[in-house]
Amino acid sequence: IAGITQAPTSQILAAGRRMTLRCTQDMRHNAMYWYRQDLGLGLRLIHYSNTAGTTGKGEVPDGYSVSRANTDDFPLTLASAVPSQTSVYFCASSPGLADTDTQYFGPGTRLTVL
Amino acid sequence: GQNIDQPTEMTATEGAIVQINCTYQTSGFNGLFWYQQHAGEAPTFLSYNVLDGLEEKGRFSSFLSRSKGYSYLLLKELQMKDSASYLCVRFDSNYQLIWGAGTKLIIKP
């Protein structure tokens, strides 16, 4: 693994189903983030984690949950998917929360909820 | 993105210079990033400004005026591979990034 990876690359999901998007980084970064990107809108933060064992809510957390059991992994779970959650999801990580800490992004997961 | 304004789309010619402007809400402002995003790919870091002035990095330069809530990204000697979206991103006092919707730059030969 080099950098930050996400799985799956894309997924079509029936409404009401549960889905977990996986994110793993091998850079030993403390901070990790989940964003969604919708056409015409900027990236919107869903949840974040400052360090292993802690998580926080971003701008659009409803319908999503996260966990941070260790430094490397930061899965995002949709408990009961709805069509409005159709989006491209990006996971990112940064060394910390300082303003100089660049965020590094995974390749994204394209999710379609029908 | 909330409180960040940048043009939706711009067109420029290969070899030319283009300036992409961004205005943002100044309250709670800590710094300004620019990211590049090619279609279907993840954003990648271009520049970061926290002090007023121009930061030059090869063909790309970024300018910041904190008092005016204004930044621009300047791309010189445009190449076809520069066709991408350019995202203006404000780092706020809550240690979060506020992302603009991006400017789609189209380069024509």
Side-chain angles (χ1 to χ4, degrees), chain A residues 35 37 42 59 99 102-103 106, chain B residues 2 33 35 37 42 48 91 100:
Chain A
Y35 292 94
Q37 187 174 36
E59 180 186 354
D99 57 350
T102 302
Q103 292 192 7
Chain B
Q2 58 190 56
F33 288 90
Y35 277 74
Q37 186 177 25
Y48 177 66
F91 185 80

Side-chain angles (χ1 to χ4, degrees), chain A residues 35-37 41-45 59 90 105, chain B residues 43 87 99-100:
Chain A
Y35 292 94
R36 60 178 290 172
Q37 187 174 36
L41 298 177
L43 286 160
R44 291 183 292 170
L45 183 66
E59 180 186 354
F90 286 104
F105 285 79
Chain B
L87 313 179
W99 295 75

Side-chain angles (χ1 to χ4, degrees), chain B residues 37-39 79-86 105-108:
Chain B
Q37 186 177 25
H38 285 98
Q79 302 174 9
M80 297 303 294
K81 67 178 182 179
D82 297 331
S83 292
S85 288
Y86 292 86
L105 179 62
I106 300 168
I107 310 296
K108 295 185 175 181

Side-chain angles (χ1 to χ4, degrees), chain B residues 7 10 17-21 70-75 78 105:
Chain B
M10 298 181 69
I17 299 173
V18 71
Q19 178 175 310
I20 303 174
N21 296 323
Y70 169 67
S71 173
Y72 68 72
L73 181 70
L74 190 71
L75 292 75
L78 286 170
L105 179 62

Side-chain angles (χ1 to χ4, degrees), chain B residues 9-31:
Chain B
E9 186 174 296
M10 298 181 69
T11 302
T13 304
E14 188 177 16
I17 299 173
V18 71
Q19 178 175 310
I20 303 174
N21 296 323
C22 172
T23 58
Y24 59 86
Q25 180 180 321
T26 55
S27 63
F29 173 81
N30 271 356

